[in-house]
Amino acid sequence: MAAFTLVELLVVISIIALLLGIIVPSYFSIQKKAKVTKAKVTVKNLETAFKAYLDYYRAWPAAFGGGAGTEMLKPVVDILNGGNSDKMVFYEFDTNAVANGALDPWSDPSADESTWRRYRFQVDNYDNKINPAPDGSGTILRSVIVWSDGPDRTNTSDDIKSWD
């Protein structure tokens, strides 16, 4: 009878191993898709927040870079999060963003700061044109664009862009 119990145990262990072999890769695939989706939603929402700021104040503050592509550091986060002259909140950031700038989903706030990547943005010069586009595609007809360097952390085709 002990041999029979051992066979049953081996069958159960085999079934569990098979299920884990199916579930674990699916989990990592779903996790990657969730980060991409989060980044897509965030770049669109941040673009909307920047546009709302421009609609309200009719001018870009100096912290927004004056037409150059810029990382979303703490001063920019503060301005959009209510640290402006009228205390208007254009985008509600989480605690990590308020302390560290707007980190994209592939950044771990508990890791070394040199590994962080923040969302990036570029504002126009009041002509509704971003030129040149950060991805080298020419002129983008918008007042502001926002992007993340994506999972590979460099400017490549996997970037998450608000103008796509």
Side-chain angles (χ1 to χ4, degrees):
M1 183 157 159
F4 185 72
T5 306
L6 183 60
V7 171
E8 288 177 327
L9 183 62
L10 288 174
V11 168
V12 169
I13 291 172
S14 298
I15 291 171
I16 290 171
L18 180 67
L19 289 173
L20 285 175
I22 294 169
I23 293 171
V24 170
S26 298
Y27 170 76
F28 288 113
S29 173
I30 290 168
Q31 193 176 35
K32 180 181 177 184
K33 287 179 185 176
K35 287 182 179 183
V36 169
T37 301
K38 180 179 181 180
K40 284 180 180 180
V41 168
T42 301
V43 296
K44 291 291 188 184
N45 288 340
L46 285 169
E47 180 183 52
T48 300
F50 278 103
K51 287 178 181 178
Y53 181 95
L54 183 61
D55 285 346
Y56 188 82
Y57 285 107
R58 296 294 195 207
W60 298 120
F64 285 11
T70 306
E71 274 192 306
M72 290 197 65
L73 298 172
K74 186 175 180 353
V76 175
V77 168
D78 288 344
I79 290 169
L80 293 177
N81 200 39
N84 49 61
S85 60
D86 293 333
K87 307 294 184 232
M88 292 286 297
V89 176
F90 296 98
Y91 190 89
E92 207 168 306
F93 291 91
D94 65 24
T95 306
N96 285 329
V98 172
N100 305 314
L103 301 178
D104 73 9
W106 295 276
S107 296
D108 179 2
S110 64
D112 185 88
E113 187 172 347
S114 66
T115 65
W116 296 352
R117 294 293 182 270
R118 293 172 182 88
Y119 287 101
R120 301 179 67 77
F121 70 99
Q122 188 169 345
V123 298
D124 70 350
N125 290 315
Y126 307 107
D127 58 358
N128 207 36
K129 293 179 186 174
I130 305 291
N131 191 17
D135 62 359
S137 63
T139 301
I140 299 172
L141 300 177
R142 292 183 184 235
S143 56
V144 61
I145 57 173
V146 182
W147 70 96
S148 163
D149 287 333
D152 73 356
R153 322 311 282 135
T154 60
N155 185 8
T156 56
S157 62
D158 75 342
D159 293 359
I160 312 299
K161 304 176 261 189
S162 66
W163 62 96
D164 277 345

